[in-house]
């Protein structure tokens, strides 16, 4: 088969669902609360055929049902389409948000209809769009193996855009025709046979749902009005059955049909209510005034009246919580809109911890887990900027070990009585409310019996004392003496606070407050005449940290968010911000004696005094490393693959699964030392499978998946330790080529990290596994966090390259080189003497890193 990208399509179509929940695949993510679109697999079981359509809905959460061996073998075999739909509906009920629209093509349409009826019977009535879906009117007859083999090959070829003929008499020959290995072919043939039998026996369940039927002009047609008593809308498109999702014009029409069914705007990549431009204009009008500058300067000197007035000004214009629901003072915008506005008004110099504590931590936590009465009582005041809130976790002698807290809350009727002392809280002296962790029980594990409350800091029995520190933002000691708290102020169930606290810490660890602070300090350093060349690496690191923090803000509100999700963000952003502060420290003797603008001097002083505490609050760096250590011990291979999946999940898996066996039986030196012949052979293999057409536009016969997805191939090659054989653009030094090279280098770093971790997990010294020795492993874990952060930034660069200036790309390259050097050093230290032997795989990774690090001229 020629290298037009179609064989790649067929190969990926043959892959089973990713590990996790059997049958359920998250095709794309969006902001919490976005519309949920569900796509049901066609008869072959793969979701790849929907990929061009899914890409047209980037602002919505797209999920897919994919058939796999686990789905077929899980429980009793399914004897009907209705049985299969019930199995999927159970998975959806447990693991997927409420579905707004169900869509399916061919067999997938039949499955979508049955699932939609089950969801409707449970009170969730989704919209339904069926693409060329029909049912048989003839009596069902069993098919032979030869017939199923012929049908499967024809379906695989047609789904991949190929009109080949069936010329095989055995499964082995058929597997060769469609470009699958025999094991995969056998599995997918079984899935196809099972599903085709269900389709030929299927008679639709009558329902009353509104449904849009999209029919190909050259296909068989059935009258869906005999099935549904709801509104049935027929839309006929030119072409035949298999071409429906392969033609750009019909795809655009189907997109419009789906958006119309959901009353969605057509072809809008970002959710917008029209309020965002007005909010940005309102913010600009506010901050471009001498009065605002005066407020900020006074607020930086910790004048409570100035801080309060500044936040009231923001709240009065709807700028503090635009992503909150309207009933609580927001505008219902995406989280991204709130983060963008926050970054802009904090960039003016306004103290950011007020916002971080009040809105990002307490506000969002109440929004997520508080009672209805607490939400109604507190959130509108926060939204208007009329009340600040703080966090009371730490206690004397407990430090960061929150499970050791001793403050108590004893139940008395419909309220609780709190007693205890909290320390190291910030802004408690100007806040009206506080999120408090207290112990309500002593039985069981120390993590049991913790309960969370939001208390009124003006309540009788609350005493707030200032604690002098070197930083302008003052810490407080808060004493609680017989403080009565109503039960509606309790968060969640009594004694079940630790899991909620874990979520609260995840909110606190997004790092968005760190990166806006770091950006201000860098700006102050540049204004203070520090050479820009001297700050390039730091600027690249802050840009990377900003990408990481923004990504984390999209995660922490998800129902399954945990502290692990944001541990990398907290570690990387806090240490990045601290490094900027240390740059101020190195230069302070000179900076303090030179005349500076008042606000610039305040920023420099802030960088000097606040940076030491950044890696302590919300969990110290050591706690973040420990959190990651536990996760990596259990899932290090999965976490490495997760980074590959960031760029192209199925594609990265396909590259690894196709190429990894090539090197499995080869000695280390031939595999890892450079070989022009092997590079050419790898390039040939990639082309033969169609991988070289991943980025080629669809109009030119490729898949049109873009640079970011293409980078998954470079990343996977580096991860395996192979030569960088994927270079679809031969232009030396092109921007796209530099991004692909960066992906390859990142893959090398991940591969060496994986090699070091595998060694540590299996090696013992002094009666302990190396992986359990924190002093040795923490540098390696930190390198993983940095590689994770770099991957997040690289993906953003690959997706936005046309609008990215060369200076930003150069700063990223500087950063990646710096990170890779540390990752190599940490990995080789863990590997010990074995890592530097000539025959070691690690030493070959090391030399390949040396060959590929360094900036292009």
């Amino acid at each position: 088969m020629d290298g037009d990208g179609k064989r790649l399509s067929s190969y990926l179509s043959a892959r089973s669902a990713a590990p996790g929940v059997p049958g359920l695949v998250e095709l794309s993510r969006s902001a919490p609360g976005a519309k949920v679109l569900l796509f049901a697999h066609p008869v072959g079981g793969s979701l790849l055929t929907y990929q061009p359509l899914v890409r047209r809905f980037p602002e919505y959460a797209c999920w897919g049902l994919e058939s796999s061996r686990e789905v077929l073998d899980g429980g009793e075999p399914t004897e009907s389409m209705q049985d299969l739909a019930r199995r999927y509906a159970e998975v959806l009920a447990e693991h997927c948000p409420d579905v707004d629209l169900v869509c399916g093509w061919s067999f997938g349409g039949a499955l979508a209809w049955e699932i939609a009826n089950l969801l409707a019977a449970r009170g969730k009535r989704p919209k339904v769009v069926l693409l060329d879906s029909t049912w048989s009117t003839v009596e069902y007859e069993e098919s032979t193996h030869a017939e199923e083999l012929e049908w499967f090959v024809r379906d695989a070829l047609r789904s991949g855009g190929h009109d080949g003929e069936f010329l095989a008499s055995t499964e082995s020959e058929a597997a060769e025709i469609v470009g699958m290995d025999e094991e995969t072919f056998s599995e997918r043939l079984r899935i196809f046979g099972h599903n085709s039998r269900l389709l030929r026996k299927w008679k639709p369940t009558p329902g009353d749902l509104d449904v849009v039927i999209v029919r190909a002009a050259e296909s068989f047609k059935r009258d869906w009005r005999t099935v549904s008593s709801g509104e049935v809308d027929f839309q006929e498109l030119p072409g035949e059955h298999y071409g429906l999702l392969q033609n750009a014009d019909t795809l655009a029409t189907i997109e419009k049909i789906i958006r119309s069914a959901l009353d969605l705007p057509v072809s809008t990549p970002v959710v917008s209510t029209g309020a965002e431009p007005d909010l940005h204009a309102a913010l600009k009008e506010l901050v471009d005034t001498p009065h605002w500058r005066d407020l900020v300067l006074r607020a930086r000197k910790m004048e409570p009246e100035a801080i309060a007035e500044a936040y009231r000004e923001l709240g009065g214009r709807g700028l503090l919580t635009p992503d909150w629901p309207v009933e609580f003072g927001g505008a219902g915008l995406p989280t991204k809109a709130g983060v963008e506005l926050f970054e802009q008004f904090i960039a003016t110099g306004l103290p950011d911890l007020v916002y971080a504590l009040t809105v990002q931590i307490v506000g969002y936590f109440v929004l997520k887990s508080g009672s209805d009465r607490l939400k109604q009582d507190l959130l509108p005041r926060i939204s208007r900027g009329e009340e600040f809130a703080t966090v009371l976790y730490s206690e004397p002698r407990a430090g960061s070990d929150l499970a050791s807290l001793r403050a108590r809350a004893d139940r008395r009727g419909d309220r609780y009585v709190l007693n205890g002392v909290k320390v190291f809280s910030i802004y408690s002296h100007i806040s009206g409310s506080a999120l408090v962790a207290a112990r309500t029980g002593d039985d069981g594990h120390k993590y049991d019996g913790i309960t969370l409350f939001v208390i009124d800091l003006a309540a009788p029995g609350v005493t707030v004392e200032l604690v002098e520190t070197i930083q302008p933002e003052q810490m407080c000691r808060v004493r609680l003496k017989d403080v009565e708290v109503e039960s509606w102020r309790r968060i969640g169930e009594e004694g079940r606070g630790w899991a909620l606290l874990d979520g609260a810490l995840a909110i606190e660890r997004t790092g968005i407050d760190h990166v806006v602070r770091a950006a201000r300090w860098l700006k102050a350093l540049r204004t203070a005449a520090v050479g820009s060349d001297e700050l390039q690496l730091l600027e690249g690191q802050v840009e990377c940290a900003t990408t990481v923090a923004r990504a984390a803000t999209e995660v922490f509100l998800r129902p399954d968010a945990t502290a692990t999700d944001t541990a990398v963000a907290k570690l990387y952003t806090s240490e990045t911000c601290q490094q900027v502060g240390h740059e101020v420290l190195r230069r302070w003797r000179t900076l303090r004696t030179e005349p500076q603008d008042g606000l610039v001097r305040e920023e420099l002083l802030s960088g000097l005094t606040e940076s030491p505490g950044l890696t302590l609050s919300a969990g110290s760096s050591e706690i973040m490393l420990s959190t990651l250590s536990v996760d990596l011990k259990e899932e290090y291979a999965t976490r490495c693959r997760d980074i590959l999946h960031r760029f192209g999940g199925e594609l990265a898996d396909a590259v690894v699964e196709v190429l990894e066996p090539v090197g499995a039986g080869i000695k280390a030196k031939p595999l890892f030392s450079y070989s022009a012949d092997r590079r050419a052979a790898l390039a040939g293999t990639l082309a033969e499978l169609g991988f070289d057409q991943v980025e080629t536009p669809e109009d030119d016969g490729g898949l049109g998946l873009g640079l970011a997805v293409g980078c998954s191939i470079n990343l996977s090659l580096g991860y395996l330790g192979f030569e960088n054989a994927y270079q679809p653009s031969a232009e030396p030094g092109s921007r796209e080529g530099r991004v692909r090279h960066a992906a390859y280098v990142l893959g090398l770093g991940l591969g060496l990290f994986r090699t070091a971790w595998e060694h540590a997990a299996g090696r013992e010294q002094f009666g302990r596994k190396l992986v359990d020795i924190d002093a040795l492993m923490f540098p390696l874990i930190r390198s993983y966090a940095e590689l994770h952060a770099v991957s997040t930034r690289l993906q953003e660069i690959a997706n936005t390259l046309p609008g990215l200036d060369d200076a930003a790309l150069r700063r990223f390259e500087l950063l990646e080189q710096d990170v890779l050097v540390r990752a190599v050093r940490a990995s080789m230290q863990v590997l010990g003497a074995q890592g530097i032997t000539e025959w070691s795989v690690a030493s070959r990774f090391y030399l390949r890193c040396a060959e590929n690090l360094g900036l292009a001229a």
Side-chain angles (χ1 to χ4, degrees), residues 294-331:
D294 177 65
L295 278 180
V296 168
L297 189 56
R298 289 166 50 208
R300 294 309 300 272
K301 295 178 179 179
M302 295 297 109
E303 294 184 20
E305 296 81 6
I307 297 173
E309 184 178 349
Y311 276 88
R312 283 197 303 271
E313 292 278 8
L314 293 167
R317 291 168 171 79
L319 300 170
L320 285 178
T321 61
D323 50 333
W324 283 13
V326 174
E327 60 265 35
F328 302 131

Side-chain angles (χ1 to χ4, degrees), residues 756 759 763 765 770 776 825-837 840 842-843:
H759 171 76
R763 173 83 169 174
Q765 285 190 346
L770 296 183
L776 178 65
R825 178 183 177 184
S827 298
M828 298 303 287
Q829 183 70 16
V830 167
L831 286 156
Q834 178 177 312
I836 59 176
T837 54
S840 168
S843 69

Side-chain angles (χ1 to χ4, degrees), residues 742-776:
Y744 174 69
V745 171
L746 175 62
L748 290 174
L750 280 173
L752 184 54
F753 165 83
R754 177 196 58 184
T755 302
W757 196 277
E758 287 174 347
H759 171 76
R763 173 83 169 174
E764 286 191 10
Q765 285 190 346
F766 308 110
R768 298 175 64 193
K769 286 188 176 182
L770 296 183
V771 77
D772 294 324
I773 303 174
D774 289 347
L776 178 65

